[in-house]
Each structure stands twice: as C-alpha cells, then as structure tokens.
Amino acid sequence: MSRRKIFKTEHLQRHVNNYSEHCCVPLCKASAKFNGVLSFHGFPTKLELRRQWLVKIRRDNFTISSHSKVCSRHFATDQLIEPKTLDGRRRLVKGAVPTLWNHFTAQTQRASVWERRERPTEPVSREEQEEHNDVHDHDYCSTPEAASLDMSSQAAEDNSKTVEDLQKQLQELRVQREFCLQRFAGSDDNIRFYTRFPSYNHLMAFWFLIEPSIHKMVCVTRAISTAKRNEEVVTHARPSTRQLLQPIDEFFLFLCFLSVGLKERDLANRFNVHQSTVSRIIATWTSFLTTLLGSQCIWLTPAEVQAHLPEAFKNFPDTGDPGLHRAEVSNTILTPPPK
C-alpha cells in the first residue's frame, strides 16, 4: 500500500479513545469508546456514600473495581462541575449521588401522606345541583323561536352588507393610490390634460376601435430578439411572460408620454414599474399605432373637397385635387430645408 493511500485511510478513520470505559448502571449502554461528551466517574471511597450509590443505581451484590464507572447522565446538573477549559474534565461536587435512572430525568417528588389521604366531598345544595343541570342539559327536540331566527338572519345580512361596503372602500382606496386611467375616469379635465382627448367617452370610443387588434401587438424586445435569431415573429406572447400593466393602462402611459411630455423615470415612478418597462411600452405602442393607423386613409375624396370648398377657390381647377395636395405634402416633408 502506497504512502498516499495509507494517509487517506488514516484520515478517514473514526476517532477512537485509548481507553474503553462503560457505565455499570443496568440497562445503560453508554461507552467512552466513541463518545467524547459524557464523563465517567468512579465510585467514592467512603463506605456510606458508596452504599448510597449502589442503592441508587439498583445494583445488589456488585463487586466494585477500578473500572466500575457511572456516566454523567445519571447525575443531576447541580451535581456536576463543568470544566473551564477545553482540555479540562468534568468533576462531581462533594457528596454527589447518582439520582437519575435510565430515563435521565429527575424523579418527581412523592406526595405527602396528607396529600394522598382521601377526604369526604362537601355536600352540594339542591339549588346548585339544579343550576348545574340547567347548564349542561339540552333539549334536542326543541326548536328556536321565529323571532330569534329573524334576528340572526338580519344580523347575517348586516354583516354581508358591511363586508361589501368595506370591499368597495378598499377598491376605491386602491384606485386612488394607483396612477391609472380608472383613477381619472370621472374627470374630463384630467383626461384632456393627460391624453388630449376631449372627454373620457371619446377616449373609450377610440379604445374600443383599437382593442380588437391588441392581440396582434408584438413587443419590441421580442421582435428584436427574434430578428437576431432569424425566426418568425409570433404575435401571441409566451405564457411565462408576466404583464405588469393592463393594456389600457399601457395605452394611458403612452398618451401621458405624448401629451404631457413626462420623462421615462417620472412615468416609471407614477405607474410603479421599471424605467426599462416604460421604454418598452412606449416603443411597442408607437410601432403598433403606426402600423394600425397608417393604413387608414385620412384624405377627402374629390367630391367631398369640391362640396366644402369656399367660393373663392372654386375658380382654380387644381384646388380640389387631393392627389396634388398629397404630393405637395410629401415633397415638403422629404425635401430638406435650404442651407
């Protein structure tokens, strides 16, 4: 066997003491061979104290030798002196006797003769006995009165109404605390300030028009990741994706960004989301509304232009041509300004 294998074998061996002491108390299996927590104590030299030890450990006609030991589990804690150092040994107080048997718990003190003596019970009066019977007896055939049933049902209804009122108050407080569209639904002034829509009804009318296409919305970050992997963009989101805001609240955040010009950090603090989430919502809704509304024709037909054209412009033949106006607008947008 190599030196390295011998060292490994000795390193993994269990620590074994050089001495092997056993407790001489009957039914006690404590041994010092693999136990470094217990301490083992020899019998005292005084004959009277030694006789008390033999009585407590229940050994009769026992020959005591130098190897006869009693472990520390049979002594009470107040009879042991703990060592003050790591290398010290546990000692016994002077006159200590092993009072604990194999349950290793202190024996309960036996009751005195006066406590064990039976005493005659005191006579109970007839009134007390009737009162006791009235309390414990119950007539299982009796039916409650109608008035008590009405009172209990009324109390149950009152409790249910109280619970409903508390739930409504909690919902109102939650809406007031959160910065969302539902919080400003009752104020058209706030709707005009944050969204530039004339009223809440106008905003909801526009929302009902674009809501059927919400499921086709593709998140910008998901579109970028799929483009890098050359994969097809799937319109529906993954089940593991957790949406922090409702779609209508994301739309409200986008309108606040356009109308009021709030910064992304300010919007993140108002809607209680991360700043990167705000940036993703703005980019996603910009792409979505551009794709959805860009296909809508906003130009009037030639007949509608001629019908609403002022009299002063009807003498010009090219005034009512919407194609010419679209070309002029396109040239104005695409042509850079002169330097």
Side-chain angles (χ1 to χ4, degrees):
M1 186 180 293
S2 62
R3 182 179 181 183
R4 182 178 180 182
K5 186 176 294 186
I6 293 173
F7 173 76
K8 184 176 181 181
T9 305
E10 293 178 354
H11 181 69
L12 295 178
Q13 282 180 351
R14 197 172 183 179
H15 176 70
V16 181
N17 294 329
N18 296 327
Y19 53 89
S20 178
E21 295 179 348
H22 300 271
C23 183
C24 63
V25 178
L27 303 180
C28 184
K29 300 179 181 180
S31 173
K33 188 174 183 180
F34 295 105
N35 198 326
V37 178
L38 299 178
S39 58
F40 294 81
H41 307 277
F43 282 76
T45 56
K46 294 183 179 180
L47 298 179
E48 181 61 25
L49 189 58
R50 180 177 293 188
R51 186 186 64 81
Q52 295 180 11
W53 277 45
L54 293 174
V55 172
K56 291 297 182 181
I57 66 174
R58 304 179 186 180
R59 296 299 297 262
D60 191 14
N61 298 326
F62 178 68
T63 302
I64 301 174
S65 65
S66 59
H67 297 287
S68 300
K69 305 290 182 181
V70 178
C71 67
S72 58
R73 291 194 295 183
H74 302 284
F75 294 90
T77 55
D78 56 350
Q79 296 180 345
L80 298 173
I81 301 176
E82 297 295 333
K84 298 182 179 180
T85 60
L86 296 177
D87 298 332
R89 299 184 62 182
R90 186 184 291 116
R91 296 181 294 108
L92 299 175
V93 299
K94 188 176 181 180
V97 177
T99 57
L100 303 182
W101 186 234
N102 289 325
H103 298 290
F104 313 120
T105 55
Q107 298 179 357
T108 58
Q109 188 176 3
R110 187 180 181 184
S112 61
V113 179
W114 175 258
E115 293 175 350
R116 297 197 305 269
R117 182 179 179 182
E118 297 182 358
R119 299 178 181 83
T121 57
E122 297 181 358
V124 182
S125 62
R126 185 176 181 181
E127 296 178 356
E128 294 180 355
Q129 187 175 3
E130 291 179 355
E131 183 179 359
H132 178 75
N133 294 333
D134 292 340
V135 172
H136 291 280
D137 291 344
H138 179 72
D139 188 5
Y140 293 95
C141 298
S142 62
T143 57
E145 298 180 359
S148 61
L149 291 177
D150 294 339
M151 294 176 62
S152 60
S153 61
Q154 184 65 29
E157 292 178 359
D158 295 340
N159 292 333
S160 62
K161 291 181 180 179
T162 303
V163 171
E164 291 178 0
D165 294 339
L166 292 176
Q167 289 178 353
K168 291 180 180 179
Q169 294 178 7
L170 180 62
Q171 185 66 21
E172 292 176 358
L173 292 175
R174 186 178 300 169
V175 171
Q176 292 177 3
R177 184 178 60 86
E178 296 179 356
F179 193 89
C180 57
L181 181 61
Q182 191 65 26
R183 176 178 176 181
F184 306 104
S187 176
D188 291 339
D189 293 337
N190 289 328
I191 294 296
R192 284 192 294 270
F193 176 77
Y194 285 110
T195 65
R196 294 298 186 266
F197 278 88
S199 64
Y200 178 75
N201 294 331
H202 288 81
L203 175 61
M204 295 308 297
F206 180 78
W207 170 255
F208 291 148
L209 291 176
I210 65 174
E211 185 181 9
S213 303
I214 293 297
H215 68 280
K216 299 180 181 179
M217 183 186 298
V218 178
C219 181
V220 172
T221 55
R222 202 149 44 87
I224 295 174
S225 61
T226 52
K228 290 181 179 180
R229 295 193 301 267
N230 294 326
E231 297 177 356
E232 184 181 358
V233 179
V234 182
T235 56
H236 59 273
R238 296 187 301 271
S240 60
T241 304
R242 184 171 62 92
Q243 193 170 8
L244 299 177
L245 296 177
Q246 296 296 326
I248 192 170
D249 289 330
E250 290 186 355
F251 178 58
F252 180 59
L253 184 149
F254 176 71
L255 293 178
C256 292
F257 174 75
L258 293 181
S259 304
V260 189
L262 299 177
K263 302 296 183 181
E264 293 183 359
R265 178 175 294 183
D266 189 7
L267 291 172
N269 293 331
R270 290 174 183 267
F271 287 88
N272 195 20
V273 294
H274 197 267
Q275 186 174 348
S276 61
T277 304
V278 174
S279 178
R280 176 185 58 80
I281 291 174
I282 293 173
T284 301
W285 276 90
T286 301
S287 177
F288 171 71
L289 293 178
T290 301
T291 305
L292 182 64
L293 303 179
S295 60
Q296 302 295 327
C297 182
I298 62 175
W299 303 102
L300 299 176
T301 61
E304 292 175 347
V305 172
Q306 290 294 335
H308 297 85
L309 197 65
E311 295 293 337
F313 292 95
K314 289 184 178 181
N315 297 327
F316 300 94
D318 298 335
T319 304
D321 188 3
L324 179 61
H325 290 288
R326 285 196 295 268
E328 291 177 355
V329 172
S330 300
N331 293 332
T332 304
I333 295 175
L334 296 177
T335 303
K339 297 183 179 179

